[in-house]
Amino acid sequence: MKTVAPPKERSREQATQRVKVGMVGLAAVMLLIGLASAIFSTVNTERPVTAVGASRSDVVANLVAENDTAPTTGTNEPLAELGVAPAVDAAAVEANAAAPITPPPVRPTVHR
């Protein structure tokens, strides 16, 4: 005949069992992370293999492209060049700046 432990002792045994399983799981995860870190660090330290006739990345990364040509349009309106916004005429802007701004007429208010 099997003896059954009292409920309080059984819950203590279950708690210690759960703690043990949790610690083993935590150790396994840490071991996997350490293993993955070691694998990736060895991969990063190796020199990459280059094919014959391929471009060298250290030379290509240091190339600088220079643009000596002047822009064809002197407008400085990138949205108008893309067709997103209408272009503003410089003469119209100057004419509007020279014109005085007149406020709208004031309407008298009638209190009843």
Side-chain angles (χ1 to χ4, degrees):
M1 193 176 217
K2 189 174 184 180
T3 59
V4 178
K8 189 169 189 168
E9 187 177 318
R10 189 175 338 146
S11 67
R12 183 175 290 155
E13 290 173 357
Q14 287 177 349
T16 56
Q17 178 67 23
R18 288 180 181 162
V19 168
K20 288 178 184 177
V21 169
M23 294 299 261
V24 168
L26 184 63
V29 168
M30 290 180 68
L31 180 68
L32 287 173
I33 290 173
L35 182 64
S37 175
I39 289 172
F40 283 115
S41 68
T42 57
V43 168
N44 288 338
T45 59
E46 292 178 2
R47 187 173 178 172
V49 178
T50 57
V52 175
S55 62
R56 294 181 27 199
S57 61
D58 56 339
V59 174
V60 173
N62 293 327
L63 290 178
V64 177
E66 293 184 19
N67 187 1
D68 293 335
T69 60
T72 56
T73 60
T75 65
N76 198 12
E77 294 184 36
L79 293 178
E81 290 175 10
L82 292 174
V84 178
V88 179
D89 186 21
V93 171
E94 290 176 13
N96 286 338
I101 299 174
T102 57
V106 178
R107 300 170 92 192
T109 58
V110 179
H111 296 286
R112 294 183 192 190

